Amino acid sequence: MGAQQVRDGFAELYGTAPEGVWAAPGRVNLIGEHTDYNDGFVMPFALPHTAVAAVSRRTDGVLRLHSADVEGGVAELRVDELAPGSDRNWTAYPSGVVWALRETGHAVTGADVHLASTVPSGAGLSSSAALEIVVALALNDLFSLGLRGWQLARLCQRAENVYVGAPVGIMDQTASACCEGGHALFLDTRDLSQRQIPFDLAAEGMRLLVVDTQVKHSHSEGEYGKRRAGCEKGADLLGVDALRDVPYADLDAALARLGDEEEVRRLVRHIVTENERVERVVSLLESGETRAIGPVLVEGHASLRDDFRISCPELDLVVDTALAHGALGARMTGGGFGGSAIVLAEEPDVDAITKAVTEAFATAGFTTPRVFEAVPSPGAHRLH
């Protein structure tokens, strides 16, 4: 959906041109899964797929929301009546952003918003974060709030945690707000320090594929929350603020201290080893050993499948089939229980891997997957 289409859609809905048009991308997480709410390390990059918003200010306390992707007309809300739990529709994401901004003292007095997105919904590619960040960036510009990308990410995380009720970490919003084209973002989720790591696979003759299994997930359902609660229990039992504080070298001793808490032991093992995998990938990329990250991705998938237990037959089939047909590495990405997998491959092998995965899904009786190349793209920005 191009900027002009969204601009025209706004004018048709509201009878006047918008004050501006903004875009915010979805993201793929290269490595570092479920570490963000444990104060750990993550490494996402932005996709070319974006949520686009045409927005104008209002001064009468009215918030009007419309999406080209959802059936129905314009939703009209009052900004002074927004409250957590009051909205169970898609509009909770943009209205939650307005609530979070106002809760922190920013005088957002209303807006007209028209949205359209090319980020696949339910695919583990952060379609909700893109929706939040694009609205937050537009309001930041229009109301001259002066907030930086990481601050917008924090506010959008609060909107999703408190207003929507989904216990997500900070990674998705930060990736959408702060990523740079041609780079992956090495993010420390404790202090929000960032390093942009060059990640130009095409220049090295490789590609990264996203395989959307078409199995939908929902973070606000119980399993994600159970994993988060289990990680917090592990930190409490080990006497640390967060599992980030368990050194990789001390993992065996930490696991021994957890005794017969088998489920907690598995969760702790994943988080501690996943943080180490992120640091390994950063080191390999910075030393020019890009192909060597493939086995690390595979390790990450095994940990998510066996210790965190959030994979599914479709995700496992993508990984196993891709590796059997020459992929350098593959793993599930995102929150789990469906969504997408990523596949790192040499450029000449892409077609064969894509064909093999598609055929494997057909043989298994699964829905045909959607396969596309993931190109590290810019974070949120103003279009017009």
Side-chain angles (χ1 to χ4, degrees):
M1 182 71 69
Q4 190 59 48
Q5 282 179 279
V6 178
R7 189 179 182 88
D8 292 346
F10 182 101
E12 188 176 329
L13 281 167
Y14 301 119
T16 183
E19 290 186 79
V21 182
W22 291 259
R27 66 96 188 97
V28 162
N29 194 22
L30 182 63
I31 192 77
E33 220 63 80
H34 287 266
T35 49
D36 59 346
Y37 55 80
N38 289 285
D39 283 1
F41 305 126
V42 295
M43 201 172 183
F45 63 87
L47 288 167
H49 307 72
T50 59
V52 179
V55 185
S56 287
R57 287 168 290 184
R58 296 181 68 98
T59 58
D60 59 358
V62 171
L63 175 64
R64 294 197 291 182
L65 302 168
H66 184 268
S67 170
D69 309 311
V70 180
E71 291 288 331
V74 175
E76 186 166 316
L77 307 165
R78 291 208 55 86
V79 297
D80 56 2
E81 295 174 359
L82 299 176
S86 63
D87 190 347
R88 296 297 180 192
N89 300 309
W90 73 268
T91 49
Y93 296 100
S95 65
V97 170
V98 174
W99 169 83
L101 285 167
R102 287 172 57 83
E103 276 286 291
T104 48
H106 298 291
V108 177
T109 54
D112 287 338
V113 181
H114 174 55
L115 292 148
S117 180
T118 58
V119 185
S121 177
L125 304 175
S126 299
S127 58
S128 59
L131 204 59
E132 293 157 359
I133 289 293
V134 75
V135 172
L137 181 63
L139 297 175
N140 184 52
D141 286 358
L142 291 174
F143 287 94
S144 302
L145 304 181
L147 298 170
R148 298 175 64 185
W150 67 268
Q151 293 171 306
L152 295 177
R154 276 274 197 227
L155 282 163
C156 290
Q157 183 200 15
R158 176 166 167 74
E160 193 155 350
N161 287 170
V162 180
Y163 193 90
V164 178
V168 299
I170 190 65
M171 173 181 66
D172 296 352
Q173 290 83 3
T174 305
S176 187
C178 300
C179 278
E180 294 181 3
H183 292 74
L185 177 68
F186 177 38
L187 173 68
D188 182 333
T189 65
R190 171 164 283 171
D191 62 13
L192 296 189
S193 59
Q194 304 176 15
R195 271 164 55 201
Q196 301 286 345
I197 310 297
F199 191 54
D200 184 359
L201 293 175
E204 299 188 58
M206 287 175 283
R207 295 287 187 269
L208 190 79
L209 302 177
V210 173
V211 182
D212 176 5
T213 65
Q214 308 281 355
V215 178
K216 302 300 182 186
H217 69 195
S218 174
H219 278 174
S220 54
E221 292 174 2
E223 291 299 324
Y224 186 100
K226 286 180 187 175
R227 301 305 188 281
R228 183 165 185 162
C231 290
E232 290 168 355
K233 181 178 180 181
D236 287 343
L237 290 171
L238 293 170
V240 293
D241 290 338
L243 293 182
R244 148 72 173 277
D245 298 312
V246 180
Y248 179 71
D250 297 345
L251 177 58
D252 288 345
L255 295 177
R257 287 169 55 199
L258 293 171
D260 59 0
E261 293 276 359
E262 182 54 36
E263 184 176 354
V264 175
R265 281 164 55 91
R266 287 190 287 99
L267 298 178
V268 170
R269 183 165 52 224
H270 168 71
I271 298 302
V272 176
T273 58
E274 188 79 345
N275 278 322
E276 187 272 340
R277 281 187 285 273
V278 177
E279 293 185 292
R280 231 189 313 160
V281 167
V282 171
S283 178
L284 288 167
L285 290 178
E286 290 190 325
S287 60
E289 300 176 73
T290 306
R291 283 171 175 80
I293 74 172
V296 189
L297 303 184
V298 178
E299 286 177 35
H301 182 76
S303 183
L304 290 162
R305 180 191 64 212
D306 301 336
D307 277 343
F308 230 64
R309 299 189 181 181
I310 57 171
S311 190
C312 66
E314 291 86 350
L315 289 168
D316 293 341
L317 185 60
V318 174
V319 172
D320 294 343
T321 305
L323 293 174
H325 287 79
L328 297 167
R331 74 172 190 91
M332 60 154 286
T333 187
F337 310 106
S340 299
I342 56 173
V343 177
L344 179 67
E346 302 284 3
E347 186 176 357
D349 297 332
V350 165
D351 289 346
I353 290 170
T354 301
K355 183 172 183 284
V357 168
T358 303
E359 289 177 350
F361 268 56
T363 300
F366 296 153
T367 302
T368 303
R370 178 183 179 214
V371 184
F372 58 90
E373 184 182 351
V375 179
S377 300
H381 56 284
R382 186 167 185 163
L383 296 172
H384 289 294

